[in-house]
Structures are given as C-alpha cells and as structure tokens.
Amino acid sequence: DAGITQSPRYKITETGRQVTLMCHQTWSHSYMFWYRQDLGHGLRLIYYSAAADITDKGEVPDGYVVSRSKTENFPLTLESATRSQTSVYFCASRKQGMKYEQYFGPGTRLTVT
Amino acid sequence: AQSVTQLGSHVSVSEGALVLLRCNYSSSVPPYLFWYVQYPNQGLQLLLKYTSAATLVKGINGFEAEFKKSETSFHLTKPSAHMSDAAEYFCAVSPRAGGTSYGKLTFGQGTILTVHP
C-alpha cells in the first residue's frame, strides 16, 4: 500500500518558470489538500479539493493553480515561480467525514532562485 | 473562525522527564482536535485525535492528551521523554459541522521538542 506520494522530493527552479508538483494517493480518499510550510508560519493551506473536479482556495492561493481530473491525483502548479514561493510543500488526503484525520505525503522542498 | 495557539515554540526536557506541550483552541463549538508529529525531513504523522466523548485520548509512542472544554485546551503529555521524541509537534483543529470549512485543518505554529541526555 503506497499511501500518498509526492514528486519530485526536491526541486530547484528559476524565477518565472512554471513548476508542477505532483501528489498521488492510493486510498481513493475524497478530500485532498496542499499546504506550504515556512519557518514561523507553520502549515498554511493553499488549495483543497472535495472530489474530482471540485477545488477551492485555501488561505494562501495566489500564484498557484490546481486541478483534479482523477480522484487519486492532485497536482499543484506554480505558473510563474517567485522567490517567495520557496518552501516545503505537503500534500494530504482525508476520507469523507469531518472526524477523520488527514494523511500527509513526505513533502517537496522547492527552491526558487 | 477557528484558531489554535501553541504556547512555547521550543520546549526542552531531559530524557525521562515529563513532556507537556500546550495547545489552546478558539471555536464557538468544540471542534475535532488532532496532534501531529513531524520528524526532520519527513511529513506529518498523526499522534492522536479527539473526536468523541472520551476526553482523555491515548495515542502512539506513549503520548496522550486531555480535552478540557472549560479551558479550551488539548495539551499533549508523555510521562517519560525519550531521545527519539525529539521532533516538531503540531496541534490542529477541524470543525464538527459542515458549511464552507470542508473539514479543513487549522494548525498551530508548532512546538519543537528537544530532549537532552
């Protein structure tokens, strides 16, 4: 059971380039989430999805785009990367039902130069 | 709107000593509450969760937490710290009802636990 995976694990890119971070889960969980983790800010929600083709903004969505054509995949795209988007990005998934916990992927460390 | 406050960004204890990590929440209705642990260069792992009437919750690795409605708190404890407990710990809340929150987690800022020999 692979669980939830993210790729790449590490990425260095230049300012202005488009970057896509991948997230894949094998549990068929309805909900998926993208967070960024920055020193002093904890985890902040970027986007979330309640099901395939249903996405919504979180706390810090500017500069990011998501899609969810299949239940198991939830890619996050930085359309034109900026240095302020240097961060560690975590994907998470959850079963339908408020009481269930989120399961987190291993993270992608992104550096924008 | 919900919020979570973790008191103390850094906590240092000796091996074998009591671990106490504090978490207070702000919510009009008692939410679901979670504690996650993050080891270096890893994702977050669930330690324990409060979702029912049992106010004392036991989790993995000997940790437990007690939900106190009157104090709006969900402090994490472990009777005897081990070197392997050194990590960052996050308290998080999720609403019980639906609406626009979709069960989103709101995280505290995290507490880094250091364990000295």
Side-chain angles (χ1 to χ4, degrees):
Chain A
D1 187 353
I4 184 164
T5 57
Q6 294 183 237
S7 61
R9 293 293 313 278
Y10 302 91
K11 177 73 176 179
I12 300 174
T13 192
E14 295 177 341
T15 301
R17 291 194 178 265
Q18 183 180 80
V19 177
T20 296
L21 310 184
M22 304 302 294
C23 178
H24 176 78
Q25 51 106 354
T26 60
W27 297 305
S28 298
H29 284 172
S30 299
Y31 289 88
M32 295 188 76
F33 307 83
W34 273 107
Y35 296 89
R36 59 177 292 173
Q37 184 178 29
D38 304 289
L39 199 62
H41 291 280
L43 277 85
R44 293 181 290 176
L45 182 65
I46 304 171
Y47 269 95
Y48 62 99
S49 169
D53 298 322
I54 300 176
T55 62
D56 207 347
K57 297 178 180 179
E59 182 184 353
V60 289
D62 293 343
Y64 303 95
V65 175
V66 294
S67 62
R68 195 170 175 203
S69 57
K70 294 183 178 181
T71 299
E72 61 267 29
N73 297 324
F74 192 38
L76 176 73
T77 297
L78 288 66
E79 292 191 302
S80 179
T82 65
R83 290 183 180 175
S84 65
Q85 293 177 309
T86 292
S87 185
V88 180
Y89 291 85
F90 288 100
C91 178
S93 71
R94 180 176 66 80
K95 288 197 290 186
Q96 191 162 9
M98 297 295 186
K99 66 179 180 179
Y100 295 107
E101 64 271 24
Q102 291 184 20
Y103 292 86
F104 285 79
T108 294
R109 184 175 295 274
L110 176 68
T111 302
V112 183
T113 62
Chain B
Q2 298 176 117
S3 66
V4 181
T5 302
Q6 291 183 237
L7 299 176
S9 58
H10 290 81
V11 170
S12 181
V13 299
S14 299
E15 193 173 20
L18 171 71
V19 175
L20 171 60
L21 305 183
R22 300 177 186 273
C23 173
N24 288 88
Y25 68 90
S26 174
S27 176
S28 56
V29 175
Y32 293 122
L33 293 152
F34 305 83
W35 273 101
Y36 283 88
V37 60
Q38 185 181 29
Y39 298 103
N41 299 314
Q42 294 187 27
L44 278 71
Q45 177 183 359
L46 183 72
L47 270 179
L48 48 82
K49 62 179 180 180
Y50 166 73
T51 61
S52 67
T55 57
L56 182 62
V57 181
K58 295 187 183 298
I60 62 172
N61 301 336
F63 283 93
E64 62 182 37
E66 186 173 9
F67 171 69
K68 292 186 176 180
K69 183 178 178 180
S70 61
E71 299 177 8
T72 61
S73 68
F74 191 56
H75 302 331
L76 182 70
T77 60
K78 181 174 180 177
S80 177
H82 191 273
M83 297 294 289
S84 61
D85 295 326
E88 188 163 15
Y89 293 80
F90 292 93
C91 182
V93 300
S94 177
R96 287 181 177 267
T100 60
S101 296
Y102 285 93
K104 292 181 291 183
L105 283 176
T106 300
F107 284 90
Q109 296 303 307
T111 299
I112 295 173
L113 176 66
T114 303
V115 182
H116 296 287

